[in-house]
Amino acid sequence: MLTNTTSKTKILMVADPFGFGPTGSLLNARKQMINVRGSFRFFGFEHVKGIVDESLFEKCSYAKDYVDYKKNILEDIIWSDVIWSATEFHVVEIAAQENKPVIIYDPLFWFWNELQIKNFENVTYLVQNFIGVKEKIENLKSNIRSKFIVLPLSIYEHEPKKVQKHFNQKYLLVNLCGFNNPLLTLEGYYKYIIGCLIEALKDSPWEKIVIAGNPDQIKQSKIDHPKINYTIFRHEQMLIEIEKADLLLTCPGLNSAIEGIMHNTPVCFLPPQNFSQARQLKHFYQAGIVEHYLNWDSIISGTFNYNESDEKEAIKYLNCMMMHCRNSEYKTKSFIIILKLILNQNSISIDSLQKKQKQFIGLLNMVSDMSFEQCINKLFPVLPYS
């Protein structure tokens, strides 16, 4: 894509404002691009400041909202040679006006009911392999299909780490994710989950419990508990904590699930914060890698087809289901019982779950057009290995 090997390529990395996922995807990619002959800038939204390792970039900028974003991003686009965008699709049209190429990095391609951009000129579209991705791309027109590169589900390596942990109930890491949704956030999600979690932890043998997430939400929602530490980790530190943990209990975002499994930590799932997480959790359940299914519709014994709903209606209905659960003493008790089952699984159950999760990731990693490293070498001038 870029053939100039005499000077550094100026790469602007832009993150979508939904949660931590898009920023996490960019940070994962940036750390894998150590041999790229480039200068890097980051442009995201204010809620991700706490997880960004700013030493990876020569400049980091954060917008309050989309108005602020559109007002301030042009300077960095003009500076750049290429824009690397994690599911931030507005930037494609802005970049086209400046004749700048865009690399779309879209872990959620499997989720969209329709293509999120109309102008594919000067665009390279990277997708991680997930359920239905290959079939979806095959159905595209050939001129658009040629813009796509399918990468392994995980960019770290082809197989999860093989060293088997001995499961014990010492370190429980709870990931409440970024919880930022410009359309609608689930009212009181953090406080409700934390309250139910504390009830489920009664008489539990866990020695160390860390709850990580959006710092503003944690500040508003935390409940003092002698064993619980509330915090936010920078992305690199979060990966270290995931590897150290005996169990990762997380909202069903794709990144956190992959990161747990690839770091050899068993993963269990909280109810979803948004519509993509809800459908993702359903895929995980159908694939057999969820032991106790905690989707809001399953908790309240309702049904909802996320495929057929538009974004705003989906998140509104998801919020209604959570509120129904929260306002029902019976449903809340049922939720806490399932949380207790998750937190008190024995080593045989966890070992079986972990084996299934590794197989799931391993199979999806095997289907791709090229590795992440090969993709980077194709797109950018790289430094010679010493």
Side-chain angles (χ1 to χ4, degrees), residues 113-177:
N113 288 328
E114 57 186 28
L115 292 173
Q116 297 298 293
I117 60 173
K118 293 181 171 60
N119 180 10
F120 278 84
E121 187 179 352
N122 227 5
V123 169
T124 301
Y125 208 116
L126 310 182
V127 299
Q128 291 167 268
N129 186 39
F130 194 62
I131 296 164
V133 161
K134 277 285 193 178
E135 295 80 2
K136 206 169 181 180
I137 292 174
E138 285 301 317
N139 289 327
L140 299 174
K141 294 179 180 178
S142 59
N143 63 319
I144 295 178
R145 191 166 62 239
S146 64
K147 300 286 187 176
F148 281 76
I149 298 174
V150 179
L151 301 173
L153 180 57
S154 169
I155 68 172
Y156 298 112
E157 50 188 300
H158 290 296
E159 295 292 338
K161 293 187 177 181
K162 296 184 182 298
V163 178
Q164 185 69 30
K165 285 182 180 177
H166 176 69
F167 176 71
N168 54 56
Q169 290 177 292
K170 288 188 176 180
Y171 179 12
L172 171 65
L173 177 59
V174 181
N175 176 31
L176 295 182
C177 297

